[in-house]
Amino acid sequence: GGDPEEDFANEPPILEELDIRPDEIAKRMKSVLLFQRLDHELLADSDLCGPLLIALALGTCLLFAGKVHFGYIYGLGISGCVGAYLLLNLMSQGEAIDLYRTLSILGYGLLPVVVLAFLSIFISLRQSFGLVVAPLCVVWCTATASRFFETALNMTHQRYLVAYPVFLLYACFVLITVF
């Protein structure tokens, strides 16, 4: 057909072509870190780029702390997300959730564990500081993810029922980080 250079000039940017929106990823991360609410539309349009970056950052921080746990992170993450997906669909009375959105919400909720893992590079979490910060990190992750699920599924009265299994999942990630 045409000139190859002209075809290359008309190509969309790679992030747009892959449907990766850095501004939405930043909004979701900011919402997790600053306890802000997200609207239903942003949670309905989920992505896996942010959660994959968060999981890689967690693995990298743990690696710098002397722990090689990439397999545990992905294994626990996938099995926990599948369990949460099944549980949420059993509990949801209205809107169902797909596995992709469950992975996205639980992945973004993992961001405080990355902060904890970053701290573990410089400070031992097996001391009194870790005893205080680790449970706070689990509560932070749980509050964020359960709030996101509440908004995404309109489950106002079931938020604390959702929070319990999510709490257990994030507690496992924090235990991996501490020990």
Side-chain angles (χ1 to χ4, degrees), residues 6-157:
E6 187 177 305
D7 290 341
F8 183 73
N10 293 331
E11 286 286 319
I14 188 75
L15 290 179
E16 182 180 318
E17 195 169 325
L18 294 174
D19 200 27
I20 297 173
R21 299 180 207 98
D23 56 328
E24 289 183 6
I25 293 171
K27 273 186 194 176
R28 289 183 186 105
M29 286 185 179
K30 184 178 173 185
S31 175
V32 170
L33 291 175
L34 302 177
F35 293 107
Q36 296 175 342
R37 284 211 171 270
L38 283 178
D39 57 341
H40 183 74
E41 290 77 29
L42 193 61
L43 287 172
D45 184 29
S46 51
D47 71 303
L48 281 186
C49 185
L52 283 174
L53 287 174
I54 291 170
L56 281 171
L58 177 60
T60 303
C61 287
L62 289 177
L63 185 65
F64 286 150
K67 304 168 188 170
V68 183
H69 292 313
F70 287 100
Y72 293 131
I73 293 168
Y74 288 114
L76 182 62
I78 294 296
S79 61
C81 287
V82 168
Y85 162 73
L86 294 172
L87 185 70
L88 287 167
N89 280 322
L90 288 173
M91 291 175 58
S92 177
Q93 296 172 345
E95 185 179 349
I97 191 167
D98 57 344
L99 185 60
Y100 190 73
R101 192 163 24 154
T102 306
L103 283 163
S104 178
I105 290 173
L106 289 175
Y108 278 108
L110 198 60
L111 194 56
V113 179
V114 175
V115 173
L116 185 70
F118 181 75
L119 290 175
S120 75
I121 296 171
F122 307 106
I123 303 168
S124 174
L125 297 177
R126 295 182 187 180
Q127 315 247 323
S128 58
F129 176 76
L131 285 172
V132 173
V133 175
L136 290 175
C137 183
V138 175
V139 170
W140 183 3
C141 293
T142 303
T144 301
S146 63
R147 186 179 68 236
F148 283 0
F149 282 127
E150 175 189 11
T151 304
L153 295 173
N154 299 318
M155 302 175 80
T156 309
H157 301 294

